[in-house]
Amino acid sequence: MSDLQTVLCVEGDDTTRLLLCEELQFAGYRVLEADNGRSALSLIRGERPELVISDIALAHMDGLALLEAVRADADIADTPFILLTAQADSRQQLRSRELAAQHLLSKPVDLDRLLTAVATCIRHPRQTVAAPLAGGWLNRQQLQARLQAGQRGGKPERVALLKLDSYLALSMRLRPQELQQLQQALYTRLQPLAEHGQVYSWSDGCWALIELPHLSEGDFDQLQQRYSIALGSISLNYTTSVLRLQIDWAQADLYRLDGATLLEASALHLNFASAGNPRRLLQLQAADYPALQAARYAEHNLAEVIRNGELELLFQPRVAVASGRIVGAEALLRWPGATVGALSPGFFVPVAERMGLAAELDRWVISRMLAAARQLVTRQPDFVLSFNLSGQSLDADVPAYLYQLLQQQPDLAANIEIEVTETSMATLNAGVEQAIARLREMGTRLAVDDFGVGYASLSYLKRLRAGVIKIDRSFVTDIARRGIDAQIVQGLVGLAQALGCSVVAEGVETAEQADCVRELGCQYAQGYHFYRPMLLDELLQGLVGP
């Protein structure tokens, strides 16, 4: 293997830059860093890196201007560039192509995809890997035959899948013999855990084994370490992620997946769950398989469903606790026509985030939510309609999209409430905060969802001037026992009142819970005790007219 290649990482956000630099260093690159375009240009001229990774939104000189300056300098004009953007609009795409950027990747960055792009830019194209050593890996057809035999016998068994983190990027950087050396090291670690010492190659970078009886989670701890292997002149670091699944063939009708399909879905789950979050150890039980099948269905069909408008909005009313009057509602997304049954957002929103579809999904929701809001406000002028924004969408100009639509109908702004989770508040950048501030100036309210279970500090609540705090349902479930949950809710209500925020209790399902949240000072609530989610026409019928 050749000496370390140098990559320059240009990113204005300190946290993001640290993450990118750590991943690049861990993948075996020498990394330089800069937080603005001018400093980056100086480093490119002085250090001559093999590759530049640059965000487009930079201080002093943005990423496109930096690339233009590099292309205009004959000495460094051929430097490969990967551009990162949270917008990816047509202007940026066109300009990046004009300036011959090698890649334009969306933020938040998929680290596996980034490392693969890095490898294609500064190293030879991917080569065909030589076959494993004789007596090494068995193939997936042999594993399928083994699983079919186990299914006929009806004996429960455990299967483990192992993924080499960032395999694609590594396979493009390593020569075939080096990659084979790395695979052999993995084989040596897996063989003692496997039935009859047999390890199966499932797909590129993913291997499987039937576990020996009586293995525990502790037996897999060794696979969660960071490993180092000498390849040529350097020492390469690598990690692995593992998924263990219990297969009870007597319950196969519960999850309707044969062995091959089950492993395929599990491998996809492992790949997504460990992307950008390596060294995972995941456990799947029989009860998890219906959700696995639903997620697999969503992965194959969600993009087309969004394009065809096959989703629907339901509305869960928010009531004034003292009077029971409907004062607003939360817009909830549903996928009613899925062939595996109606899917709630818990199944397909994580899929949308993994596939980079979250912003497109939120734009779909916003356009239809505003149309619904117009009808609701006509019926009840003080009605407030809220909706959730994912952390990924906050960084993808979705607040700016809402602002643009509300500029066309500003009288609706005061009737709209944006819900962000407490955890996502801690990751907001200056641009997103400015977009939220513009919406707030129009009259739109900000609500902190699932309050009490995340990581936001009081400084975020103060700076963003949230107007509503929604207490997470986990604190409401046992509130009638008047124990610690009731004390926590009482404290959160006091905090909200001190900040000038109104309080909504979520997940109120019984009369006793409703009485408790009222006594503790919650002005508003939502949950099945009051109303279940309903279609727009049903909600309109239940409103009090002007």
Side-chain angles (χ1 to χ4, degrees), residues 318-319 321 330 417 419 447-449 451 468-472 476 493 496 501-508 517 522-526:
R318 176 188 301 179
V319 303
V321 176
E330 179 180 353
E417 183 178 283
E419 296 185 16
V448 182
D449 196 17
F451 192 76
V468 180
I469 285 177
K470 302 190 74 175
I471 295 177
D472 185 70
V476 175
V493 169
C501 299
S502 58
V503 180
V504 180
E506 296 184 290
V508 178
V517 298
C522 295
Q523 303 105 311
Y524 306 104
Q526 66 185 64

mmCIF file of all heavy atoms in Angstrom, residues 318-319 321 330 417 419 447-449 451 468-472 476 493 496 501-508 517 522-526:
data_model
loop_
_atom_site.group_PDB
_atom_site.id
_atom_site.type_symbol
_atom_site.label_atom_id
_atom_site.label_comp_id
_atom_site.label_asym_id
_atom_site.label_seq_id
_atom_site.Cartn_x
_atom_site.Cartn_y
_atom_site.Cartn_z
ATOM 1 N N ARG A 318 -55.976 18.877 19.852
ATOM 2 C CA ARG A 318 -55.441 19.387 21.112
ATOM 3 C C ARG A 318 -56.593 20.096 21.808
ATOM 4 O O ARG A 318 -57.297 20.895 21.178
ATOM 5 C CB ARG A 318 -54.288 20.356 20.861
ATOM 6 C CG ARG A 318 -53.729 21.010 22.110
ATOM 7 C CD ARG A 318 -52.726 22.100 21.760
ATOM 8 N NE ARG A 318 -51.604 21.579 20.984
ATOM 9 C CZ ARG A 318 -50.600 22.343 20.534
ATOM 10 N NH1 ARG A 318 -50.599 23.661 20.762
ATOM 11 N NH2 ARG A 318 -49.637 21.803 19.836
ATOM 12 N N VAL A 319 -56.784 19.816 23.089
ATOM 13 C CA VAL A 319 -57.911 20.405 23.806
ATOM 14 C C VAL A 319 -57.421 21.294 24.938
ATOM 15 O O VAL A 319 -56.324 21.091 25.488
ATOM 16 C CB VAL A 319 -58.849 19.317 24.374
ATOM 17 C CG1 VAL A 319 -59.351 18.403 23.271
ATOM 18 C CG2 VAL A 319 -58.157 18.520 25.466
ATOM 19 N N VAL A 321 -57.602 21.830 28.600
ATOM 20 C CA VAL A 321 -57.923 20.837 29.629
ATOM 21 C C VAL A 321 -59.109 21.285 30.479
ATOM 22 O O VAL A 321 -59.969 20.474 30.850
ATOM 23 C CB VAL A 321 -56.683 20.576 30.513
ATOM 24 C CG1 VAL A 321 -57.032 19.616 31.646
ATOM 25 C CG2 VAL A 321 -55.547 20.011 29.672
ATOM 26 N N GLU A 330 -52.519 18.319 15.927
ATOM 27 C CA GLU A 330 -51.205 17.967 15.384
ATOM 28 C C GLU A 330 -51.417 17.157 14.118
ATOM 29 O O GLU A 330 -52.177 16.183 14.112
ATOM 30 C CB GLU A 330 -50.400 17.158 16.393
ATOM 31 C CG GLU A 330 -49.022 16.740 15.886
ATOM 32 C CD GLU A 330 -48.216 15.938 16.889
ATOM 33 O OE1 GLU A 330 -48.673 15.805 18.048
ATOM 34 O OE2 GLU A 330 -47.145 15.431 16.512
ATOM 35 N N GLU A 417 -47.788 26.024 13.948
ATOM 36 C CA GLU A 417 -46.831 25.744 15.023
ATOM 37 C C GLU A 417 -45.857 24.658 14.553
ATOM 38 O O GLU A 417 -46.277 23.597 14.094
ATOM 39 C CB GLU A 417 -47.593 25.272 16.259
ATOM 40 C CG GLU A 417 -46.753 25.002 17.489
ATOM 41 C CD GLU A 417 -47.643 24.592 18.653
ATOM 42 O OE1 GLU A 417 -48.274 25.502 19.234
ATOM 43 O OE2 GLU A 417 -47.732 23.376 18.941
ATOM 44 N N GLU A 419 -43.095 21.905 15.411
ATOM 45 C CA GLU A 419 -42.597 21.094 16.513
ATOM 46 C C GLU A 419 -41.225 20.533 16.165
ATOM 47 O O GLU A 419 -41.050 19.913 15.107
ATOM 48 C CB GLU A 419 -43.555 19.930 16.807
ATOM 49 C CG GLU A 419 -44.933 20.359 17.281
ATOM 50 C CD GLU A 419 -45.789 19.168 17.680
ATOM 51 O OE1 GLU A 419 -45.215 18.061 17.875
ATOM 52 O OE2 GLU A 419 -47.013 19.321 17.781
ATOM 53 N N ALA A 447 -42.668 24.911 18.972
ATOM 54 C CA ALA A 447 -42.950 24.005 20.093
ATOM 55 C C ALA A 447 -41.806 23.020 20.239
ATOM 56 O O ALA A 447 -41.249 22.537 19.245
ATOM 57 C CB ALA A 447 -44.261 23.252 19.853
ATOM 58 N N VAL A 448 -41.444 22.715 21.477
ATOM 59 C CA VAL A 448 -40.419 21.713 21.762
ATOM 60 C C VAL A 448 -41.137 20.411 22.086
ATOM 61 O O VAL A 448 -41.836 20.303 23.105
ATOM 62 C CB VAL A 448 -39.517 22.140 22.928
ATOM 63 C CG1 VAL A 448 -38.429 21.095 23.156
ATOM 64 C CG2 VAL A 448 -38.893 23.495 22.645
ATOM 65 N N ASP A 449 -40.982 19.425 21.198
ATOM 66 C CA ASP A 449 -41.686 18.150 21.331
ATOM 67 C C ASP A 449 -40.892 17.206 22.228
ATOM 68 O O ASP A 449 -39.666 17.307 22.337
ATOM 69 C CB ASP A 449 -41.869 17.537 19.937
ATOM 70 C CG ASP A 449 -42.909 16.442 19.919
ATOM 71 O OD1 ASP A 449 -43.707 16.360 20.880
ATOM 72 O OD2 ASP A 449 -42.927 15.650 18.955
ATOM 73 N N PHE A 451 -40.551 16.965 25.358
ATOM 74 C CA PHE A 451 -39.704 17.678 26.309
ATOM 75 C C PHE A 451 -39.463 16.817 27.550
ATOM 76 O O PHE A 451 -40.349 16.153 28.066
ATOM 77 C CB PHE A 451 -40.357 19.001 26.726
ATOM 78 C CG PHE A 451 -39.426 19.908 27.482
ATOM 79 C CD1 PHE A 451 -38.438 20.610 26.813
ATOM 80 C CD2 PHE A 451 -39.525 20.040 28.853
ATOM 81 C CE1 PHE A 451 -37.571 21.440 27.510
ATOM 82 C CE2 PHE A 451 -38.663 20.863 29.556
ATOM 83 C CZ PHE A 451 -37.682 21.561 28.883
ATOM 84 N N VAL A 468 -44.113 26.929 23.144
ATOM 85 C CA VAL A 468 -44.886 25.783 23.611
ATOM 86 C C VAL A 468 -43.926 24.669 24.015
ATOM 87 O O VAL A 468 -42.946 24.402 23.314
ATOM 88 C CB VAL A 468 -45.845 25.260 22.512
ATOM 89 C CG1 VAL A 468 -46.643 24.062 23.015
ATOM 90 C CG2 VAL A 468 -46.775 26.370 22.035
ATOM 91 N N ILE A 469 -44.220 24.047 25.136
ATOM 92 C CA ILE A 469 -43.477 22.859 25.572
ATOM 93 C C ILE A 469 -44.450 21.696 25.627
ATOM 94 O O ILE A 469 -45.504 21.784 26.272
ATOM 95 C CB ILE A 469 -42.822 23.089 26.953
ATOM 96 C CG1 ILE A 469 -41.602 24.002 26.811
ATOM 97 C CG2 ILE A 469 -42.410 21.763 27.584
ATOM 98 C CD1 ILE A 469 -40.939 24.345 28.128
ATOM 99 N N LYS A 470 -44.116 20.602 24.913
ATOM 100 C CA LYS A 470 -44.958 19.415 24.907
ATOM 101 C C LYS A 470 -44.295 18.355 25.772
ATOM 102 O O LYS A 470 -43.187 17.888 25.466
ATOM 103 C CB LYS A 470 -45.164 18.905 23.474
ATOM 104 C CG LYS A 470 -45.788 19.942 22.544
ATOM 105 C CD LYS A 470 -46.202 19.343 21.214
ATOM 106 C CE LYS A 470 -47.442 18.501 21.343
ATOM 107 N NZ LYS A 470 -47.926 18.006 20.037
ATOM 108 N N ILE A 471 -44.958 17.991 26.860
ATOM 109 C CA ILE A 471 -44.398 17.039 27.817
ATOM 110 C C ILE A 471 -44.542 15.625 27.255
ATOM 111 O O ILE A 471 -45.634 15.200 26.856
ATOM 112 C CB ILE A 471 -45.089 17.154 29.179
ATOM 113 C CG1 ILE A 471 -44.792 18.534 29.784
ATOM 114 C CG2 ILE A 471 -44.628 16.052 30.120
ATOM 115 C CD1 ILE A 471 -45.481 18.780 31.099
ATOM 116 N N ASP A 472 -43.443 14.897 27.225
ATOM 117 C CA ASP A 472 -43.433 13.572 26.608
ATOM 118 C C ASP A 472 -44.385 12.616 27.323
ATOM 119 O O ASP A 472 -44.543 12.653 28.547
ATOM 120 C CB ASP A 472 -42.008 13.013 26.644
ATOM 121 C CG ASP A 472 -41.906 11.701 25.902
ATOM 122 O OD1 ASP A 472 -42.012 11.714 24.663
ATOM 123 O OD2 ASP A 472 -41.748 10.659 26.573
ATOM 124 N N VAL A 476 -46.392 10.908 31.373
ATOM 125 C CA VAL A 476 -47.836 10.958 31.610
ATOM 126 C C VAL A 476 -48.392 9.573 31.930
ATOM 127 O O VAL A 476 -49.368 9.438 32.676
ATOM 128 C CB VAL A 476 -48.554 11.563 30.380
ATOM 129 C CG1 VAL A 476 -50.070 11.507 30.539
ATOM 130 C CG2 VAL A 476 -48.096 12.997 30.161
ATOM 131 N N VAL A 493 -43.787 21.998 34.273
ATOM 132 C CA VAL A 493 -44.812 23.037 34.136
ATOM 133 C C VAL A 493 -44.315 24.337 34.752
ATOM 134 O O VAL A 493 -44.482 25.428 34.173
ATOM 135 C CB VAL A 493 -46.133 22.588 34.792
ATOM 136 C CG1 VAL A 493 -47.113 23.758 34.887
ATOM 137 C CG2 VAL A 493 -46.752 21.439 34.005
ATOM 138 N N ALA A 496 -41.809 25.872 32.414
ATOM 139 C CA ALA A 496 -42.469 26.452 31.248
ATOM 140 C C ALA A 496 -43.121 27.785 31.593
ATOM 141 O O ALA A 496 -43.032 28.759 30.835
ATOM 142 C CB ALA A 496 -43.512 25.473 30.697
ATOM 143 N N CYS A 501 -43.981 29.937 28.507
ATOM 144 C CA CYS A 501 -44.434 28.948 27.526
ATOM 145 C C CYS A 501 -45.746 28.316 27.979
ATOM 146 O O CYS A 501 -45.971 28.110 29.173
ATOM 147 C CB CYS A 501 -43.392 27.835 27.351
ATOM 148 S SG CYS A 501 -41.780 28.373 26.763
ATOM 149 N N SER A 502 -46.586 27.981 27.018
ATOM 150 C CA SER A 502 -47.746 27.153 27.326
ATOM 151 C C SER A 502 -47.326 25.689 27.312
ATOM 152 O O SER A 502 -46.302 25.329 26.717
ATOM 153 C CB SER A 502 -48.874 27.408 26.328
ATOM 154 O OG SER A 502 -48.440 27.147 25.001
ATOM 155 N N VAL A 503 -48.112 24.839 27.976
ATOM 156 C CA VAL A 503 -47.737 23.440 28.167
ATOM 157 C C VAL A 503 -48.811 22.532 27.586
ATOM 158 O O VAL A 503 -50.009 22.718 27.840
ATOM 159 C CB VAL A 503 -47.534 23.114 29.657
ATOM 160 C CG1 VAL A 503 -47.134 21.649 29.835
ATOM 161 C CG2 VAL A 503 -46.474 24.018 30.262
ATOM 162 N N VAL A 504 -48.358 21.527 26.818
ATOM 163 C CA VAL A 504 -49.246 20.509 26.267
ATOM 164 C C VAL A 504 -48.787 19.157 26.792
ATOM 165 O O VAL A 504 -47.616 18.791 26.636
ATOM 166 C CB VAL A 504 -49.221 20.501 24.730
ATOM 167 C CG1 VAL A 504 -50.158 19.415 24.191
ATOM 168 C CG2 VAL A 504 -49.591 21.853 24.163
ATOM 169 N N ALA A 505 -49.678 18.410 27.422
ATOM 170 C CA ALA A 505 -49.364 17.052 27.867
ATOM 171 C C ALA A 505 -49.753 16.079 26.754
ATOM 172 O O ALA A 505 -50.889 16.091 26.277
ATOM 173 C CB ALA A 505 -50.117 16.721 29.146
ATOM 174 N N GLU A 506 -48.810 15.242 26.353
ATOM 175 C CA GLU A 506 -49.056 14.276 25.284
ATOM 176 C C GLU A 506 -49.416 12.909 25.860
ATOM 177 O O GLU A 506 -49.027 12.570 26.971
ATOM 178 C CB GLU A 506 -47.822 14.138 24.403
ATOM 179 C CG GLU A 506 -47.432 15.393 23.655
ATOM 180 C CD GLU A 506 -46.259 15.148 22.724
ATOM 181 O OE1 GLU A 506 -45.130 14.948 23.202
ATOM 182 O OE2 GLU A 506 -46.475 15.163 21.497
ATOM 183 N N GLY A 507 -50.152 12.129 25.102
ATOM 184 C CA GLY A 507 -50.429 10.748 25.476
ATOM 185 C C GLY A 507 -51.386 10.580 26.636
ATOM 186 O O GLY A 507 -51.283 9.600 27.383
ATOM 187 N N VAL A 508 -52.348 11.495 26.792
ATOM 188 C CA VAL A 508 -53.335 11.373 27.859
ATOM 189 C C VAL A 508 -54.414 10.384 27.403
ATOM 190 O O VAL A 508 -55.161 10.657 26.470
ATOM 191 C CB VAL A 508 -53.961 12.750 28.194
ATOM 192 C CG1 VAL A 508 -55.027 12.590 29.269
ATOM 193 C CG2 VAL A 508 -52.874 13.719 28.651
ATOM 194 N N VAL A 517 -53.014 15.990 34.981
ATOM 195 C CA VAL A 517 -52.312 17.039 34.229
ATOM 196 C C VAL A 517 -53.007 18.383 34.430
ATOM 197 O O VAL A 517 -52.341 19.437 34.451
ATOM 198 C CB VAL A 517 -52.197 16.684 32.724
ATOM 199 C CG1 VAL A 517 -51.391 15.403 32.527
ATOM 200 C CG2 VAL A 517 -53.559 16.564 32.059
ATOM 201 N N CYS A 522 -51.106 21.912 33.529
ATOM 202 C CA CYS A 522 -51.033 21.836 32.061
ATOM 203 C C CYS A 522 -52.294 22.483 31.477
ATOM 204 O O CYS A 522 -53.413 22.082 31.795
ATOM 205 C CB CYS A 522 -50.947 20.387 31.595
ATOM 206 S SG CYS A 522 -49.440 19.530 32.098
ATOM 207 N N GLN A 523 -52.109 23.463 30.615
ATOM 208 C CA GLN A 523 -53.273 24.119 30.008
ATOM 209 C C GLN A 523 -53.925 23.271 28.929
ATOM 210 O O GLN A 523 -55.141 23.330 28.719
ATOM 211 C CB GLN A 523 -52.872 25.470 29.390
ATOM 212 C CG GLN A 523 -52.235 26.439 30.381
ATOM 213 C CD GLN A 523 -50.729 26.523 30.159
ATOM 214 O OE1 GLN A 523 -50.057 25.487 30.062
ATOM 215 N NE2 GLN A 523 -50.204 27.735 30.060
ATOM 216 N N TYR A 524 -53.089 22.496 28.205
ATOM 217 C CA TYR A 524 -53.587 21.778 27.028
ATOM 218 C C TYR A 524 -53.131 20.324 27.080
ATOM 219 O O TYR A 524 -52.149 19.973 27.751
ATOM 220 C CB TYR A 524 -53.077 22.433 25.740
ATOM 221 C CG TYR A 524 -53.381 23.915 25.664
ATOM 222 C CD1 TYR A 524 -52.382 24.865 25.894
ATOM 223 C CD2 TYR A 524 -54.666 24.367 25.383
ATOM 224 C CE1 TYR A 524 -52.651 26.216 25.842
ATOM 225 C CE2 TYR A 524 -54.953 25.721 25.322
ATOM 226 C CZ TYR A 524 -53.942 26.643 25.558
ATOM 227 O OH TYR A 524 -54.223 27.976 25.515
ATOM 228 N N ALA A 525 -53.844 19.482 26.352
ATOM 229 C CA ALA A 525 -53.486 18.061 26.304
ATOM 230 C C ALA A 525 -53.976 17.466 24.997
ATOM 231 O O ALA A 525 -54.867 18.009 24.328
ATOM 232 C CB ALA A 525 -54.085 17.318 27.493
ATOM 233 N N GLN A 526 -53.392 16.332 24.666
ATOM 234 C CA GLN A 526 -53.881 15.539 23.532
ATOM 235 C C GLN A 526 -53.659 14.078 23.857
ATOM 236 O O GLN A 526 -52.763 13.707 24.615
ATOM 237 C CB GLN A 526 -53.171 15.922 22.225
ATOM 238 C CG GLN A 526 -51.689 15.609 22.172
ATOM 239 C CD GLN A 526 -51.031 16.123 20.902
ATOM 240 O OE1 GLN A 526 -50.964 17.317 20.660
ATOM 241 N NE2 GLN A 526 -50.542 15.192 20.084
#
